[in-house]
Amino acid sequence: LSATWSQVRDDYRFSQQMWSEAGSDPAAIGTFGWGTGIWGLADANIVLGLDGAHPDVVNVYNGVLDQIHWADKRYIDTWSSTWGAQDLAPFFADDASQYQDNYAVRFSGFIAITDPGLYNFGVLYDDGFVFNLYGQGSSLNLIKDGLNPRDRLGFDQDLNLGAGLYRFDLIAWERLEAGVADLSWIRPGGDWTTIPQSHLFTAYVPEPASVALMLAGLGLLGWRRLKAAK
């Protein structure tokens, strides 16, 4: 799946909340002693849209990743034993002294459903995220805007999915301390599991070289909600 990461300085002051309170006056924004960094989805979108040469940008990464199970050093050292192990985000080093705050990431691609039936999707997050899932002519979304303690959020009902490819995008962000973004699925009677690489694609592939790729020709089959998620 495709991934774009961007990290800004801890004194980054483009917060939409601050712009509103300051009346869009850059001079007034500068008088605030709080509010620096990423505060929510609006800020995350701005950060992800910044050019890598922008003076407030510290780190960028663009590439193709196998799964969505990423965290920073603070999360891995402090919370992986209780919330689940994650891989270190691709533009960080395994070094506690490296600056690893105020970053945002956008993932996009397709989830392949090869076994039709009931599914739910959930995001383990810290500090926030928005997840959009697209089917035939419609979409579903999960969102936790602002700054929040780590938790996992899934749909309030299971989804009855037919075989096919379902497009998705996920934006996640972290302001201070620990950060994590994990996209998992669960089936009735099962446990939350990070969606495996074998079920993630960056794009449709027209060559029916395997059963998985042949699913691209099936198009997107719709869903219907059935029962409350477990």
Side-chain angles (χ1 to χ4, degrees):
L1 51 91
S2 300
T4 298
W5 301 73
S6 183
Q7 182 187 28
V8 293
R9 293 155 35 111
D10 59 4
D11 58 355
Y12 165 78
R13 291 181 177 273
F14 298 159
S15 172
Q16 294 296 291
Q17 179 180 356
M18 294 183 68
W19 273 94
S20 175
E21 294 185 6
S24 300
D25 178 1
I29 290 175
T31 66
F32 282 83
W34 56 273
T36 56
I38 299 172
W39 283 76
L41 177 59
D43 290 345
N45 278 321
I46 293 174
V47 169
L48 289 167
L50 294 177
D51 185 271
H54 191 284
D56 287 314
V57 173
V58 176
N59 233 332
V60 295
Y61 173 89
N62 291 282
V64 176
L65 301 175
D66 58 351
Q67 292 177 291
I68 301 177
H69 58 163
W70 306 99
D72 54 25
K73 178 69 172 170
R74 179 68 174 269
Y75 171 91
I76 292 172
D77 289 348
T78 308
W79 300 106
S80 60
S81 61
T82 54
W83 285 90
Q86 306 289 326
D87 288 340
L88 187 66
F91 61 0
F92 291 147
D94 190 16
D95 181 355
S97 67
Q98 184 190 17
Y99 171 60
Q100 296 187 4
D101 292 325
N102 285 302
Y103 58 89
V105 57
R106 177 187 293 111
F107 303 101
S108 61
F110 296 85
I111 300 171
I113 299 298
T114 57
D115 182 18
L118 295 177
Y119 290 82
N120 207 319
F121 299 93
V123 177
L124 174 63
Y125 62 90
D126 186 347
D127 289 303
F129 78 96
V130 59
F131 171 69
N132 297 300
L133 182 66
Y134 303 92
Q136 185 175 349
S138 62
S139 64
L140 300 173
N141 70 83
L142 296 167
I143 184 169
K144 197 71 174 180
D145 204 352
L147 304 178
N148 309 279
R150 72 200 56 81
D151 202 351
R152 189 187 305 276
L153 179 66
F155 291 109
D156 58 1
Q157 292 179 304
D158 291 343
L159 309 176
N160 188 24
L161 300 182
L165 292 176
Y166 293 80
R167 184 168 65 89
F168 78 93
D169 56 67
L170 168 64
I171 294 176
W173 58 89
E174 188 269 353
R175 182 170 176 262
L176 299 176
E177 300 183 353
V180 63
D182 178 285
L183 178 60
S184 297
W185 60 8
I186 189 171
R187 305 205 66 181
D191 298 317
W192 287 110
T193 305
T194 301
I195 299 177
Q197 179 182 7
S198 58
H199 287 265
L200 295 172
F201 293 84
T202 57
Y204 286 120
V205 179
E207 299 178 5
S210 68
V211 172
L213 297 182
M214 286 176 66
L215 291 172
L218 297 177
L220 301 185
L221 304 185
W223 53 61
R224 59 189 178 92
R225 297 175 179 233
L226 287 186
K227 61 181 182 180
K230 301 299 185 183

